[in-house]
Amino acid sequence: MVETYPFPADTNHVITASRVNFFYGATQALFDISMDIPGRRVTAFIGPSGCGKSTFLRIFNRMNDTITGTRIEGEVLINGEDIYESGSNVVRLRRKVGMVFQKSNPFPKSIFDNVAYGPRIHGTHDRQQLAEIVEQSLIRSALWNEVKDRLETNALGLSGGQQQRLCIARALAVGPDILLMDEPASALDPKSTIRIEDLIGELRNEYTIVIVTHNMQQAARISDYTAFFYEGRLVEFNATKKIFTKPREKQTEDYITGRFG
Amino acid sequence: MWKDKAMRLLMVSAASTSIFLVALIFIFLVKEAAPFVLTPGLRALLDRQWIPVSFVQEHFGILPLVTGSALVTGLSMLFTIPLSVLGAIYIAEIANPVEREILKPFIELLASIPSVVLGFFGLVVLAPLIKALFGLGTGLTALTGAFLLTLMAIPTVITLSEDAIMSVPRAYKDASQALGASDLQTIFRVIIPAALPGIIAAIMLGVGRVIGETMAVLMVTGNSALMSWSPLAPVRTMTATIAAEMGEVSFGSIHYQALFWIGLVLLAVTFILNIIAQRVLVRYGMMK
């Protein structure tokens, strides 16, 4: 069981998970996870493949709901609201909790229509307003200068790194508070990876970012807090500096020193 | 070694048989139709009347037959497209596995009903119904034919559209849902646009199937070769004309040649439709 975390006294916990168990059919994937994620910070989830870190991430925007046969126990509060309560509104939740996937997945539409997709489905149709949202989102995702002259071209013509920044812009366009990132740079070349990491650094003051990563150096570079998962359990959660210098658990130390995983 | 070679030869010839046969059919059609070009000349085909047997003046205008085919096909597509596309969306995106297991065999069953049997159904059930419903003198109309053709086109269009929808990457759906889109928004704004080339190709192949269909339309469309765009009037299609008259025509006559011209026009239309469908599929990477 994980002990108390050394958060500063004024920390505002945006996500609070209590005693979460998660099942794919009869297989239990997550075991009794409790964790408070601070707002406007970058929190990294690390751990070997299959440790449940992605599954846990997808709980926060209920993306696991789209897989048949899954079941969750426990309580997850986001901004104080129980997101798995029966009357809870998934659409509203997902507007507040954006997600960026491992493989960039722009729609086969124009760059403009990709970013405008979210605002449109939520009822914004004014061309002027959409243009503004698209521009702001692309500026924030550090893509504007590269694409401003070809917003009407197909997004699939962009490079892999640009596509991933477009997906970030698309997520930002609906105005989320929280950004979930599931190994957003794992399919990218080193240069594009650094751009994404820089971007996360720029977004950290405005958004609560939770990022799953395989890459421990990446977690060390970009995150404020790091959680280590192993076999469906949360082993250790602490300030990133502490995790990488003085881990409390033996398992954590073995993992970050490369003894397994 | 020689066994390998013999086997190879056997398989190459088996595989090329269809090319050979298509070429043969085409050559045969052209050869039988050719003399018509000299007398009475291709202009005769553009006549607005088709009266191939007459004591006064024969007319070989295929226009009424072309409009007949176009009317029946167009009407049928009016029903086929919405039914098939909505059906495919349901099967591919909404139906649970049990529903899918029930629906799919029935669609395949529909495809395997012989068109003559459907023709019987049209004569006995549909035609009287349409006659009574619209207060007509006869129930054998373009509309009756279109209904039957819809039954025949649906399995083709539904199955191919479903394939197109199923081949849309899961990642598009994830992205849309993660942005807070409802299932319907995801289907109509992301999945259908992404599958559209495949759906268009499916429709083209459906049109090809419908234009070429003979037996059922021969039985239920009334066979009146009068130029008309009314869905409630009897019409005669190109295919039905060939089927009905080929048995009685005197071999090598101008009438005989005119029937071959109808065949050539049909072949050209279906050929063009198939090429368009293939092009669309290749262009959007749905077929290698």
Side-chain angles (χ1 to χ4, degrees):
Chain A
M1 189 60 207
V2 191
E3 296 156 46
T4 49
Y5 325 122
F7 288 119
D10 61 341
T11 303
N12 169 31
H13 293 296
V14 168
I15 304 174
T16 307
S18 321
R19 319 214 59 156
V20 171
N21 290 303
F22 188 81
F23 304 83
Y24 290 106
T27 317
Q28 187 164 1
L30 297 175
F31 298 84
D32 198 32
I33 295 181
S34 296
M35 175 174 197
D36 295 335
I37 294 175
R40 307 225 166 164
R41 295 285 183 275
V42 179
T43 302
F45 289 179
I46 62 170
S49 300
C51 67
K53 56 194 190 300
S54 285
T55 301
F56 191 53
L57 185 79
R58 291 163 62 96
I59 278 177
F60 302 147
N61 66 344
R62 295 187 58 171
M63 274 306 275
N64 290 321
D65 291 17
T66 64
I67 304 165
T68 45
T70 58
R71 188 162 58 84
I72 183 170
E73 290 171 355
E75 189 186 59
V76 182
L77 304 180
I78 289 185
N79 292 324
E81 258 181 78
D82 183 349
I83 63 168
Y84 281 92
E85 202 180 48
S86 56
S88 162
N89 182 336
V90 182
V91 170
R92 214 183 52 195
L93 170 70
R94 289 181 184 157
R95 287 184 72 167
K96 287 289 144 201
V97 186
M99 182 166 230
V100 177
F101 296 82
Q102 179 171 3
K103 244 189 119 232
S104 61
N105 54 359
F107 301 126
K109 299 175 185 284
S110 73
I111 294 169
F112 186 95
D113 287 344
N114 260 281
V115 184
Y117 181 84
R120 275 183 179 139
I121 58 172
H122 297 303
T124 306
H125 293 290
D126 179 58
R127 184 82 200 171
Q128 189 68 38
Q129 215 178 332
L130 284 174
E132 219 157 276
I133 295 173
V134 169
E135 178 173 346
Q136 285 309 314
S137 306
L138 286 169
I139 288 173
R140 283 188 178 189
S141 71
L143 190 59
W144 176 250
N145 286 330
E146 292 158 63
V147 301
K148 64 180 177 211
D149 299 322
R150 48 170 176 150
L151 292 175
E152 294 309 322
T153 60
N154 196 309
L156 300 181
L158 297 172
S159 73
Q162 288 174 324
Q163 285 190 13
Q164 194 59 301
R165 276 179 284 146
L166 178 66
C167 292
I168 294 173
R170 185 176 62 186
L172 296 180
V174 294
D177 306 326
I178 300 171
L179 265 188
L180 308 176
M181 297 182 154
D182 192 355
E183 304 197 37
S186 68
L188 300 178
D189 59 273
K191 213 168 159 189
S192 304
T193 301
I194 289 174
R195 298 209 64 160
I196 300 279
E197 288 182 7
D198 288 348
L199 177 56
I200 292 170
E202 283 158 31
L203 296 172
R204 69 190 301 167
N205 296 323
E206 290 169 81
Y207 299 93
T208 302
I209 297 176
V210 187
I211 178 171
V212 165
T213 177
H214 247 104
N215 180 332
M216 277 177 286
Q217 285 77 30
Q218 185 170 67
R221 277 194 299 267
I222 63 175
S223 69
D224 303 293
Y225 297 94
T226 296
F228 172 61
F229 292 80
Y230 186 64
E231 292 185 339
R233 290 185 167 80
L234 175 61
V235 176
E236 186 165 355
F237 181 36
N238 210 329
T240 298
K241 227 185 284 167
K242 290 258 173 60
I243 289 266
F244 283 95
T245 52
K246 261 188 267 163
R248 207 163 10 184
E249 303 291 326
K250 181 81 170 62
Q251 271 178 332
T252 314
E253 190 181 346
D254 288 350
Y255 182 70
I256 61 170
T257 53
R259 224 162 286 170
F260 76 100
Chain B
M1 238 11 226
W2 70 269
K3 263 190 190 167
D4 281 0
K5 279 198 177 140
M7 207 56 199
R8 194 187 143 85
L9 194 70
L10 187 70
M11 287 191 280
V12 166
S13 33
S16 348
T17 306
S18 60
I19 301 179
F20 179 68
L21 285 177
V22 167
L24 211 63
I25 289 168
F26 183 71
I27 291 166
F28 174 69
L29 279 177
V30 170
K31 180 180 154 284
E32 296 299 318
F36 194 91
V37 181
L38 298 173
T39 39
L42 283 182
R43 258 202 119 82
L45 292 176
L46 299 179
D47 200 319
R48 293 171 71 90
Q49 284 180 298
W50 175 263
I51 308 174
V53 182
S54 168
F55 295 113
V56 191
Q57 169 71 58
E58 287 148 353
H59 291 274
F60 297 105
I62 63 171
L63 286 182
L65 314 178
V66 173
T67 59
S69 277
L71 179 62
V72 173
T73 305
L75 279 174
S76 149
M77 281 301 127
L78 223 54
F79 310 129
T80 303
I81 293 171
L83 277 174
S84 304
V85 174
L86 291 176
I89 291 170
Y90 187 80
I91 293 174
E93 287 296 322
I94 300 168
N96 62 43
V98 178
E99 290 174 313
R100 201 171 297 152
E101 287 308 303
I102 294 170
L103 282 168
K104 291 209 68 167
F106 274 97
I107 290 165
E108 280 151 27
L109 193 68
L110 189 56
S112 63
I113 298 175
S115 61
V116 180
V117 175
L118 280 175
F120 273 133
F121 167 74
L123 270 182
V124 177
V125 180
L126 262 184
L129 199 68
I130 285 176
K131 183 179 170 187
L133 208 59
F134 295 97
L136 304 172
T138 170
L140 303 177
T141 63
L143 187 67
T144 321
F147 277 137
L148 281 194
L149 289 174
T150 301
L151 290 179
M152 289 178 217
I154 278 178
T156 308
V157 183
I158 227 174
T159 308
L160 292 173
S161 301
E162 188 207 332
D163 288 348
I165 293 168
M166 292 285 232
S167 67
V168 172
R170 163 93 208 181
Y172 293 165
K173 205 172 160 179
D174 284 344
S176 176
Q177 288 180 322
L179 288 164
S182 67
D183 286 348
L184 281 185
Q185 284 173 326
T186 303
I187 288 171
F188 285 105
R189 294 174 187 231
V190 176
I191 295 177
I192 297 302
L196 201 57
I199 293 173
I200 289 171
I203 291 169
M204 290 292 187
L205 293 173
V207 171
R209 168 96 171 80
V210 161
I211 279 188
E213 172 52 36
T214 308
M215 216 47 229
V217 280
L218 179 65
M219 290 166 80
V220 302
T221 54
N223 283 319
S224 144
L226 292 174
M227 214 153 158
S228 159
W229 288 111
S230 163
L232 297 177
V235 293
R236 175 185 296 189
T237 64
M238 297 191 275
T239 48
T241 306
I242 300 176
E245 296 176 11
M246 199 46 114
E248 289 152 25
V249 75
S250 71
F251 189 82
S253 65
I254 291 177
H255 181 195
Y256 174 88
Q257 293 160 19
L259 291 180
F260 274 88
W261 271 104
I262 299 174
L264 273 175
V265 171
L266 262 177
L267 187 70
V269 171
T270 42
F271 187 66
I272 289 167
L273 284 172
N274 268 302
I275 287 188
I276 295 175
Q278 302 266 344
R279 279 275 166 91
V280 172
L281 283 173
V282 170
R283 168 107 167 262
Y284 292 92
M286 294 195 164
M287 212 167 79
K288 268 89 207 172

